[in-house]
Amino acid sequence: MLDRLAVLDEILERHANVLGQDFHPYRNHTYRVANFHWCMLPGTVHDLYALSVAVAFHDLGIWTAGTFDYLAPSEALARQYLLEQDRPELVPVVVAMISEHHRISRVPPDQDRRIEAFRRADWIDVSLGLLRFDLHPDDFTRAVERFPRLGFHLRLVQFSLRHGLRHPLRPLPMMKR
């Protein structure tokens, strides 16, 4: 179980003020997604670093940019962080993980496998486990017990409704085919 990722925690702490009361629900979401991803596609320390950065920033634009059309702001934050950390080689895969995480269809097989695993991991959490892909049920249960939801999904519904009222022709702008 991934329960202490220093890079993830450091990034989230940097944004604690803007996350406000959503800090712990978002942190738990990021840890659930990281664990689902790692269970389906374990890797190297290098992969864990990329995963930590992607999961930290993947939805953060909701809060930092104040919008439910948050993929571009989240990608920009991740890109800036990686460049500050002198890790430009990770920009393509981390930005793709963020960009494609709400894709409805499978990521093309010629893409980095981490992108599809990340997409699946986020869908597992957002669907409250209705979608499981190839995640073992025990892994799902352990992650949810260790990192409870704390109202995160209700908060997403609130953001979605607010955005949908303002932009009825684009109620879920982050969704891709």
Side-chain angles (χ1 to χ4, degrees):
M1 171 82 46
L2 302 174
D3 61 1
R4 181 81 177 119
L5 297 171
V7 171
L8 172 56
D9 287 333
E10 179 263 321
I11 294 167
L12 293 180
E13 285 296 329
R14 282 189 185 188
H15 295 90
N17 287 340
V18 73
L19 284 164
Q21 68 183 7
D22 295 326
F23 177 83
H24 290 291
Y26 183 65
R27 180 182 184 275
N28 283 6
H29 167 63
T30 64
Y31 269 93
R32 288 190 303 272
V33 172
N35 275 285
F36 299 155
H37 180 284
W38 203 249
C39 287
M40 292 184 294
L41 186 66
T44 66
V45 172
H46 179 75
D47 295 328
L48 189 56
Y49 182 87
L51 173 60
S52 295
V53 174
V55 78
F57 288 110
H58 80 288
D59 292 337
L60 202 54
I62 294 171
W63 291 271
T64 61
T67 181
F68 206 54
D69 193 359
Y70 59 88
L71 291 180
S74 297
E75 293 165 20
L77 289 169
R79 183 179 295 106
Q80 178 183 355
Y81 176 83
L82 288 168
L83 294 176
E84 288 171 0
Q85 301 303 310
D86 198 28
R87 300 297 300 265
E89 76 281 4
L90 292 178
V91 169
V93 72
V94 169
V95 167
M97 290 166 79
I98 294 168
S99 173
E100 301 299 322
H101 84 274
H102 281 301
R103 185 184 179 106
I104 296 169
S105 60
R106 182 175 171 74
V107 172
D110 63 332
Q111 299 291 314
D112 190 302
R113 292 177 48 199
R114 294 173 289 183
I115 301 166
E116 176 63 14
F118 192 76
R119 182 190 76 84
R120 289 179 180 203
D122 190 70
W123 273 108
I124 291 167
D125 196 58
V126 169
S127 74
L128 300 169
L130 293 175
L131 297 174
R132 296 272 178 98
F133 301 99
D134 51 351
L135 182 70
H136 192 280
D138 292 344
D139 293 328
F140 176 81
T141 301
R142 273 193 296 276
V144 173
E145 286 175 353
R146 175 65 182 91
F147 301 102
R149 295 184 181 111
L150 304 177
F152 179 74
H153 297 84
L154 176 59
R155 193 72 170 118
L156 291 181
V157 169
Q158 291 169 341
F159 286 132
S160 177
L161 291 174
R162 186 176 316 139
H163 180 84
L165 290 172
R166 293 181 185 145
H167 307 279
L169 299 179
R170 286 192 71 219
L172 298 173
M174 79 299 281
M175 301 300 280
K176 296 181 176 184
R177 289 197 166 167

